[in-house]
Amino acid sequence: MSDTRKKTMMPFAFFEDKIIESEKAKISIAAHSIQYGTTCFSGMRGYLRGSEIRVFRIYDHYERLINAAKILGWDFQMEFDKFQKAISDLIKANKPKSDCYFRPFIYSEDEELTPKFKGISYDMAMYMIPLGDYLDTSRGLRLIVSSWKKFQDASIPTKAKAGGSYLNSSLARTEAIRYGYDEALVMDDNWNIVEGSAENFMIVYRGEVIIPQVGSSMLEGITMRTVIDILKEQKIPFRFEKIDRSMLYTCDEVLLTGTGAQILFAESVDDRPIGNKSMGAVCKILRDEFSKIIEMKNTISNKWITKITI
Ligand code: PMP
């Protein structure tokens, strides 16, 4: 069998409480996590600046991961210090030569046939990949509203970033790609648009930024929370509200936010042009302010950025 599998991991991973060669971090094919998608995860960015990696909002990613295990009712605890040390040890082992991405996740290797969460054990592992732009930031995206709906929180907890639930994201994104678009937006059961396949979403409508309600079926993104803080700081009016298709097609800007995507704008949705198809005023302010945070030119940077020497 020729090995054409895509491989992106950096050489070292954190696995079973140790830094080991990524190639040796293997789990059983009968593992609960493989068979039932029993994982919850996070994704953090590290920016290479000189001889240090600046990791963005480590504590918030840790907190969301721990809360995911709590929402799912998993018997799993981990101190923040251990999480932070794993990141630092990984950076020193992998010595990244570019911006990078950390993928910490909680999983179960138990060979348990029954799909249940009680009576199985959990562990945390983490790996790194090099990561530049995840979607093209130099132009506006061409979006579609997917025919696949976002699952409801009453079916699978939407704030848990659970591995299995990404079948839903994959269906939506694949549909977009299949029809020649960049990314898909998904609707909830009430036909309001709530998210991108792997990004939060907001619009600029009649001079205000409108963000879907956190309690709708969406993941509460850390980039979205950062953007909300920038909006407050810049005194740009915003509110949380339902967004229907008519608002989407007639708004001035459509924005996507995420750790991978960062801050992106759409040039069209379902072939309807958005604004004049170029970057809008709000997107520009958000990108400029976000980059000031990463470049340590904003006082808030000290709170959100952890510098780790390679
Ligand atoms: N929604 C979904 C479904 C996602 O996968 C992501 C990416 N993690 C986001 C929103 C954005 O979250 P964050 O800003 O924390 O990366």
Side-chain angles (χ1 to χ4, degrees):
M1 189 184 83
S2 70
D3 190 354
T4 55
R5 286 173 295 182
K6 187 171 178 183
K7 291 193 175 173
T8 55
M9 267 197 292
M10 287 192 191
F12 294 96
F14 179 82
F15 185 68
E16 295 175 349
D17 287 342
K18 291 185 292 293
I19 303 287
I20 63 163
E21 285 170 52
S22 304
E23 288 279 307
K24 294 189 177 149
K26 305 269 189 225
I27 70 167
S28 159
I29 57 168
H32 207 270
S33 288
I34 298 271
Q35 294 303 325
Y36 301 121
T38 318
T39 68
C40 55
F41 67 95
S42 200
M44 275 170 297
R45 265 196 188 261
Y47 299 89
L48 176 68
R49 296 292 181 272
S51 59
E52 67 190 22
I53 294 286
R54 297 180 183 171
V55 192
F56 190 55
R57 299 191 73 160
I58 295 185
Y59 186 80
D60 301 286
H61 283 279
Y62 160 80
E63 188 187 45
R64 186 169 69 187
L65 190 62
I66 292 298
N67 278 343
K70 181 178 181 182
I71 294 168
L72 295 163
W74 296 356
D75 184 15
F76 178 80
Q77 265 99 38
M78 178 183 42
E79 296 297 320
F80 176 60
D81 286 355
K82 177 175 168 180
F83 185 75
Q84 181 148 269
K85 183 168 185 310
I87 294 170
S88 162
D89 290 350
L90 266 186
I91 289 174
K92 289 183 194 312
N94 282 318
K95 304 191 187 328
K97 293 188 176 49
S98 64
D99 290 351
C100 51
Y101 179 85
F102 303 83
R103 169 54 61 82
F105 62 103
I106 302 170
Y107 66 101
S108 174
E109 202 184 346
D110 282 33
E111 297 179 6
E112 165 63 61
L113 187 63
T114 311
K116 66 178 172 77
F117 295 146
K118 284 277 172 240
I120 58 173
S121 61
Y122 300 89
D123 205 353
M124 191 273 292
M126 194 180 326
Y127 63 85
M128 290 175 70
I129 58 170
L131 191 68
D133 283 345
Y134 165 75
L135 285 164
D136 191 349
T137 53
S138 65
R139 62 176 178 87
L141 300 175
R142 295 175 62 243
L143 305 179
I144 56 164
V145 177
S146 177
S147 64
W148 293 97
K149 283 207 272 176
K150 173 83 192 211
F151 52 89
Q152 277 192 307
D153 198 73
S155 305
I156 296 177
T158 54
K159 308 286 180 284
K161 211 163 165 48
S165 73
Y166 276 76
L167 291 176
N168 182 250
S169 298
S170 301
L171 286 165
R173 171 69 75 93
T174 304
E175 184 177 32
I177 296 168
R178 194 149 51 92
Y179 294 130
Y181 294 85
D182 298 306
E183 176 55 307
L185 298 171
V186 284
M187 293 194 275
D188 65 10
D189 272 7
N190 299 315
W191 309 100
N192 295 305
I193 296 103
V194 283
E195 232 174 3
S197 80
E199 306 85 19
N200 287 114
F201 142 85
M202 56 189 78
I203 62 173
V204 182
Y205 186 75
R206 301 200 196 288
E208 267 183 310
V209 177
I210 304 198
I211 306 169
Q213 288 148 335
V214 177
S216 63
S217 298
M218 58 133 105
L219 180 77
E220 191 177 10
I222 289 163
T223 320
M224 182 188 86
R225 287 170 50 199
T226 306
V227 161
I228 292 171
D229 283 348
I230 298 174
L231 293 172
K232 284 182 192 158
E233 198 184 68
Q234 296 293 314
K235 303 198 171 24
I236 299 173
F238 70 93
R239 67 195 151 96
F240 297 97
E241 208 188 276
K242 292 176 180 149
I243 301 175
D244 64 18
R245 231 166 164 148
S246 305
M247 291 164 81
L248 177 64
Y249 290 162
T250 56
C251 69
D252 298 319
E253 295 182 47
V254 173
L255 304 174
L256 292 181
T257 67
T259 298
Q262 310 204 76
I263 300 167
L264 299 173
F265 66 96
E267 65 155 62
S268 66
V269 181
D270 292 338
D271 294 333
R272 275 79 163 173
I274 301 297
N276 61 7
K277 295 177 88 172
S278 56
M279 194 192 309
V282 173
C283 182
K284 175 144 188 10
I285 294 171
L286 292 175
R287 275 199 189 174
D288 288 350
E289 293 304 312
F290 190 79
S291 115
K292 280 187 205 161
I293 295 171
I294 305 302
E295 301 312 328
M296 310 290 296
K297 290 181 182 152
N298 184 315
T299 46
I300 202 126
S301 307
N302 293 326
K303 194 172 111 192
W304 284 343
I305 287 183
T306 309
K307 296 179 183 176
I308 298 171
T309 306
I310 300 171

